[in-house]
Every structure is written in structure tokens, then in C-alpha cells.
Amino acid sequence: MKIGIVQTNPVFGAIKQNALDVCNAMASCHADLWVLPELFATGYQFASLEEVEQLAEPVPEGSTTQTLSRFARQHGCAIAAGLPERDDSGRFYNTAVLVDPAGLVLRYRKIHLFAEEKRWFSPGDTILDVVDVGGARVGLLICFDHFFPEAARTLALRGAEIIAHPSNLVMPVYAQLTMRTRALENGVFTVTANRIGFEHRTAERLTFTGCSQMVSPDGTLLYSGPSDAVETVVMEIDPSQARDKALNRWNDRFADRRPAMYDTNLGLAAMEPTDRPA
Ligand code: ACM
């Protein structure tokens, strides 16, 4: 299976031109699954709610999802990509779509909002789901979700073999580290598509860190992109490598889990000292 990444440098608000640039990049070589950055056609740093209202789109009816679906149909591929979504009740989400020649196959609304995103977007309410793409099981995370191992674990337990990770990373290469770990601890491929360049549309200047990457289930870095240039890459992988969770004869990433000993529902109160005997 061929997996492609387009590392971009979009112009804020120029949806049509940004989408066209990405389509031209994807048309330059074949991939079975393309991964594009978060908010790939709009740019990242909204300065007002009015801008979000102007640039957000319904999914799948909006022009960006339609453009990607048309490309997928014409080129026989699937595409994972981020965009701002407006739902029927006027709420906004930082969303990733997965389209294939049949159209929209998965919509994921970012669960863990980062920084000023909390001013515009509602936290995601879609489940962490996995779908079949060309014989491989694919799930979606968006950017800051990488910081929360439970999210990647949930996808892996649901059968994901590939985690597509549209991103607009601004912190110093944390995600390159965590997504390598997410791949290793879950025995899955991770594909992070980031962007480069900067935006300075509010008080804060954001520099996007590039270094898109692809990691195999044993933690091997298959591809690491440049920090300061756009780039399109396609790599061949074998998704079946993600089906065997064994580490050795004795240990298996999933069979050795002890869910009864974990409490993933603990709240912040669990961090306070208790008077329980040791
Ligand atoms: C991010 O979640 N875009 C840092």
C-alpha cells in the first residue's frame, strides 16, 4: 500500500488556491492513501469568529470535501485532511475527513483542542472510529491529540493499522517524539502530515514546524520531512505488519494489558493526597 504526505505552506483564507496546490501535488504521483495537514485549505490562525463563520464548511456538502472526493474518484485513492466544519446547529469543529472514491467514509472532530482553538471550536463529539481503506484499517487523530495516549490506544484497540494524523504543529517537535511512541506502543503505522511557514494574525506569532513523518509499528522512522520546505512524499508500506502485536514469545502489546488495573476515568481529584493506607 502506498501512503503519501503533502507538507504544505498555505496562504490564510485562500481556500481554492490552497486546495488546488495540494491537488497538483497529489497528482504528481500515485498514493493509495494521502494524508494532508490540519485545516489544510484555510490556514490555522483565525482572528475572529466572523472569519471562522466565513471559512467553515458543512461536511460533506462543502466545497473542500467535494473537491477531495472528486480527486479521490478521479485518481482511485483515499485522502485524510483537516478543515473547519460548520454543523447544522451553527457549531464549529476542527474536523478531519477521510474520503475515498465513494465519498466521505469517516469524519472525526478534534477532541483535544489546542490554545486559541478553544475560542472558536467545540470539542469533538464523534467517536474515535476506524474504517477500511483499500484493505487497511485506518483511524484519524488531529494534531494535539498526539499528547493523549488514550486516543491512539482507542484507535488501535478498535483495529486501526494506520493512524492518519493531520497536523499544524507549533511546539518544538514533541509530536515527532510522541507519534513515534504511539506507533511503537500500539504496533501501528503513524502518518503525521504537518505544514511549514508562519502566521501572525493575532498577538501570537505561530511558526509551523514541518518535519512530517511516517513511522512503522516497530517505531522505525520511515520518513522525516524538512522543517522549512514544502514536500510531497510517497512510501510503500505493508499494513499487515500492524496485525501482530507480539514483542517476543512472552509479551504481546494487547494481550498483556491489564485493563482491570487501570482507571482511565480518574479525574483531577485523583491527584490530591488521600488518607488511604498505603
Ligand atoms: C495543534 O493542535 N494544532 C497544535
Side-chain angles (χ1 to χ4, degrees):
M1 182 176 191
K2 290 187 165 163
I3 310 288
I5 290 175
V6 186
Q7 178 166 293
T8 58
N9 186 10
V11 175
F12 187 90
I15 294 184
K16 289 227 154 57
Q17 188 58 49
N18 295 330
L20 185 63
D21 289 348
V22 165
C23 286
N24 286 337
M26 293 192 294
S28 67
C29 40
H30 176 74
D32 301 297
L33 169 64
W34 286 101
V35 184
L36 310 180
E38 178 183 15
L39 302 171
F40 83 98
T42 54
Y44 180 78
Q45 195 179 36
F46 296 95
S48 66
L49 192 57
E50 289 69 43
E51 281 187 350
V52 184
E53 276 162 0
Q54 258 169 27
L55 296 173
E57 300 179 18
V59 172
E61 301 83 5
S63 70
T64 301
T65 311
Q66 290 301 313
T67 299
L68 295 175
S69 299
R70 198 175 322 115
F71 187 97
R73 208 161 45 243
Q74 285 166 351
H75 294 261
C77 65
I79 308 169
L83 76 163
E85 179 190 0
R86 179 180 29 209
D87 80 357
D88 291 341
S89 56
R91 272 188 293 266
F92 301 108
Y93 297 93
N94 185 340
T95 292
V97 294
L98 180 56
V99 300
D100 75 1
L104 182 72
V105 290
L106 185 61
R107 172 213 322 252
Y108 166 68
R109 293 169 170 166
K110 187 175 185 178
I111 292 174
H112 305 100
L113 297 174
F114 183 74
E116 288 195 299
E117 291 171 31
K118 294 186 179 190
R119 295 174 66 189
W120 326 121
F121 297 119
S122 299
D125 56 359
T126 48
I127 65 161
L128 289 155
D129 210 355
V130 172
V131 294
D132 195 276
V133 170
R137 306 285 293 161
V138 179
L140 297 168
L141 295 180
I142 302 175
C143 204
F144 189 49
D145 287 328
H146 74 87
F147 236 97
F148 302 86
E150 297 88 346
R153 178 67 98 200
T154 301
L155 289 176
L157 289 172
R158 289 217 161 103
E161 293 155 0
I162 301 170
I163 295 179
H165 181 219
S167 295
N168 270 194
L169 294 157
V170 293
M171 293 194 286
V173 297
Y174 293 157
Q176 285 75 5
L177 199 62
T178 56
M179 288 307 280
R180 205 165 169 186
T181 305
R182 301 290 95 86
L184 177 61
E185 68 197 0
N186 292 297
V188 298
F189 291 91
T190 62
V191 184
T192 298
N194 195 15
R195 60 163 287 185
I196 62 158
F198 74 91
E199 287 178 2
H200 195 173
R201 311 189 66 261
T202 66
E204 202 173 357
R205 185 184 198 276
L206 296 177
T207 301
F208 301 95
T209 55
C211 301
S212 296
Q213 71 177 24
M214 242 183 263
V215 184
S216 67
D218 66 359
T220 304
L221 199 52
L222 299 174
Y223 166 74
S224 174
S227 63
D228 56 357
V230 298
E231 187 158 281
T232 301
V233 68
V234 174
M235 308 275 302
E236 178 108 35
I237 66 155
D238 176 2
S240 72
Q241 283 177 7
R243 289 173 202 158
D244 179 7
K245 303 299 181 186
L247 291 167
N248 57 46
R249 205 150 70 84
W250 301 97
N251 297 108
D252 181 283
R253 292 171 177 85
F254 285 3
D256 280 0
R257 293 178 68 248
R258 305 279 312 280
M261 301 301 291
Y262 314 144
D263 193 341
T264 51
N265 293 317
L266 288 178
L268 282 179
M271 292 176 65
E272 317 233 311
T274 69
D275 51 10
R276 239 177 279 148

